[in-house]
Amino acid sequence: DVKVTQSSRYLVKRTGEKVFLECVQDMDHENMFWYRQDPGLGLRLIYFSYDVKMKEKGDIPEGYSVSREKKERFSLILESASTNQTSMYLCASSQGGANTEAFFGQGTRLTVV
Amino acid sequence: LAKTTQPISMDSYEGQEVNITCSHNNIATNDYITWYQQFPSQGPRFIIQGYKTKVTNEVASLFIPADRKSSTLSLPRVSLSDTAVYYCLVRRATYNQGGKLIFGQGTELSVKP
């Protein structure tokens, strides 16, 4: 089975902390994604990576950065966490091409206090 | 990428067929139409994808007219477990866009006994 694993299910961090959310996939997929999901706003794309070291901004990249040093791992970094970054964060991966299925992790619920 | 528009919510009863229509007026020649399902506290899950005409799998059917400016997801004989949010997406088949997934607000389907 394809597996996308996010390092934490729940996370509580303090304002101003640097936060790392890790995502690992085991299917040798080229594409990886980070989304955040908030009530009433749906899923919003933060960053997208289509190859190692390649990244593209999504709709809401402000306050976030990403790292993809290895194909299987895509990290989302909150440089200085703020309360408005409290959200559910979802990672996904897919094989290259537009006609392939994307697989999602279970999500990390991040609370910034 | 083409913006998608779909109803915010729909209600149905068990055993009925449900059709959710999505409009994507600015769809391009190399775009695919994809549908995902999301249950509470879970990541989205791929349901079906198509380019034109009709696609059917064990879960749903997808109808795409010749102009491709809309698509209809059909769920036959829904049950309570089909209560979920359904997302329509358009994906582009180019190298660095080939996996990019942009979610809209989705349609919240509620199935009643």
Side-chain angles (χ1 to χ4, degrees), chain B residues 24-71:
Chain B
H24 24 79
N25 290 320
N26 297 322
I27 193 166
T29 304
N30 52 356
D31 288 345
Y32 286 78
I33 299 149
T34 308
W35 286 79
Y36 281 77
Q37 175 192 56
Q38 186 179 25
F39 298 112
S41 302
Q42 293 185 25
R45 184 178 70 125
F46 173 88
I47 303 175
I48 197 165
Q49 178 165 280
Y51 184 79
K52 61 181 178 181
T53 62
K54 179 183 172 183
V55 180
T56 297
N57 63 21
E58 63 278 3
V59 175
S61 294
L62 179 59
F63 299 91
I64 306 168
D67 67 5
R68 306 202 324 124
K69 292 184 184 298
S70 67
S71 59

Side-chain angles (χ1 to χ4, degrees), chain A residues 33 35 37 97-100 102, chain B residues 36 38 49 91 98-101:
Chain A
F33 314 79
Y35 294 88
Q37 185 167 31
N99 58 346
T100 58
Chain B
Y36 281 77
Q38 186 179 25
Q49 178 165 280
R91 300 179 75 185
K100 196 170 183 179
L101 292 166

Side-chain angles (χ1 to χ4, degrees), chain A residues 9 31 33 35 37 40-43 45 48 50-51 56 90 94 97-102 104-105, chain B residues 32 36 38 41-44 46 49 87 91-93 95-105:
Chain A
R9 190 83 168 98
N31 301 317
F33 314 79
Y35 294 88
Q37 185 167 31
L41 296 175
L43 279 97
L45 181 64
F48 162 55
Y50 53 93
D51 205 343
E56 190 173 307
L90 288 156
S94 74
N99 58 346
T100 58
E101 176 180 350
F104 282 79
Chain B
Y32 286 78
Y36 281 77
Q38 186 179 25
S41 302
Q42 293 185 25
F46 173 88
Q49 178 165 280
Y87 295 96
R91 300 179 75 185
R92 181 149 300 163
Y95 167 59
N96 64 347
Q97 297 281 318
K100 196 170 183 179
L101 292 166
I102 302 293
F103 286 79
Q105 291 278 22

Side-chain angles (χ1 to χ4, degrees), chain A residues 2-15:
Chain A
V2 173
K3 201 158 184 184
V4 178
T5 304
Q6 295 183 229
S7 53
S8 305
R9 190 83 168 98
Y10 299 95
L11 210 52
V12 180
K13 295 292 181 181
R14 294 195 180 279
T15 302

